[in-house]
Amino acid sequence: MKADSLIYNIKTLYTPIHEPPLRGANLRAIKELTNAYIAVKNGKIIAVGETDYSQFLSPETKKIDAKGKIALPGFIDAHTHLVHAGSREEEFAAIQQGVPYLDILAGGGGIINTVSKTRATSFVELLTQARKSLNKMLSYGVTTIEAKSGYGLNLATEIKQLQVAQTLHQQGPVHITSTYMGAHAIPLEHKKNPATYINSIIADLPTIKSLGYVDVVDVFCEKDVFSLSETEKILTVAKNLGFKVRLHADELEALGGAGLGVKLEAISVDHLINISDKDIVKLGQSNTFACLLPGTSFYLQKPFAKARMMIDNNVAVCVAGDYNPGSCPTENFQLIMQLAASYLKLSPEEVLNAVTINPAHLLNLSNQKGSLTPGKDADILLLDAPNLAYIMYHFGINHVNDVFIKGKQVVKNKRIEGETK
Ligand code: NIG
Ligand code: FE
């Protein structure tokens, strides 16, 4: 088969090698090709190899010289709160001084602050803010994301947020999957009787399902937010309607959300800073991913999840960004990877698998995305770095030079194609 484009002169190509979900020793295994090429046709990878690519060339093939850069699969960020209005830098001093995140929320700040702004902001303005953030993520090499609602806390605004994400997905080039997170906080108007809000979330689930593009429901299972029993109630109805479920679990308090996630066969439990050792063992025997968010520990000045213990107990691990205005205000996904290396103690190979093939599997996209494998989408990064370890070592900067999504170049020499500055 002849390629319609071919990237050559790649110093080293690094890609996941085993079928997901990757656990234990498999999480450390990757394939490395030197002096590599990637042949692409109709947006799909048709071959990757070393040295001789002449068999894929026709006179029409567009040849792209990687000039000795390294190649990786596009990064997949399986946990973001992309769509929201405004920012919350006024909370930063309190966080610096150690005021608990949950106290800020209880005082009507935190998520509730962003909810007021998101309700008051038009679809077009939300789209503009989210597009700006999404383009930043893309420039750092993120080619697929998950985006949650949860700053509306009423049906109309939740749908507005979900429609912003869906519009961005349709506009491309980044692939976006949507998660409904009406259970992100109790809105002020239901504070006196939270049960009425929980009932309204449950009543709204069929409408969310009928949108057709939301197949996951997430709950913030946390002390003073949604209890274990409230979480179970919401997620059981969601499952019965055909949704997959996820939980923000054991982030700030050891409530047992991870264990509940295993019981509910959740596709992931996320955060897990305070997961019990017992639940780590349970998680390792389940099909539920641990989705770790080291940027949140960093920003909130909290401990980091016990990733090594999880990996030793056969837990399937993803690393994600958790981009949001209150606990992780950054779109720099390479910084998240660097934090995973420095503080979760993942090796460069483990980080790569935890931000590509494992999250592809979590988002039900591993047939299309997550590795540089023939038959999959040509979502490819070229990075100005001598090797994979260098990306974890030289921190805080952007190593991504070029990004291709479905074979189309969308970032060229660090500039997003078509973006006006
Ligand atoms: O994943 N923990 C709850 N939700 C977000 C934070 C949202 C916010 O503070 O706006 C998180 O960290
Ligand atoms: Fe989150």
Side-chain angles (χ1 to χ4, degrees), residues 50 60 106 130 229 258 286 328:
E50 291 181 329
E60 285 76 44
S229 62
S286 76
C328 196

Side-chain angles (χ1 to χ4, degrees), residues 79 81 88 101 111 151 184 220 248 251 271 296 322 324-327:
H79 181 141
H81 303 257
R88 305 219 299 268
Y101 176 85
I111 295 171
Y151 292 115
H184 197 193
F220 188 12
H248 283 58
E251 178 188 356
H271 285 290
T296 308
D322 197 21
N324 75 73
S327 72

Side-chain angles (χ1 to χ4, degrees), residues 138-149:
L138 171 62
S139 71
Y140 281 96
V142 177
T143 54
T144 297
I145 68 161
E146 178 256 19
K148 301 174 198 295
S149 67

Side-chain angles (χ1 to χ4, degrees), residues 293-362:
L293 311 169
T296 308
S297 293
F298 175 76
Y299 177 77
L300 293 181
Q301 303 176 34
K302 296 279 172 200
F304 287 79
K306 290 184 271 185
R308 287 268 45 109
M309 185 176 172
M310 292 180 197
I311 293 167
D312 291 346
N313 278 278
N314 231 27
V315 176
V317 169
C318 294
V319 168
D322 197 21
Y323 168 64
N324 75 73
S327 72
C328 196
T330 182
E331 296 94 341
N332 181 343
F333 196 67
Q334 287 167 58
L335 180 60
I336 302 297
M337 292 164 62
Q338 289 146 5
L339 294 172
S342 292
Y343 295 104
L344 299 179
K345 310 288 181 198
L346 267 56
S347 70
E349 295 77 14
E350 288 173 327
V351 173
L352 181 66
N353 283 321
V355 299
T356 54
I357 193 69
N358 269 2
H361 192 70
L362 169 55

Side-chain angles (χ1 to χ4, degrees), residues 185-197:
I186 303 288
L188 288 179
E189 62 275 20
H190 288 279
K191 262 267 147 3
K192 286 208 177 95
N193 191 358
T196 58
Y197 184 57

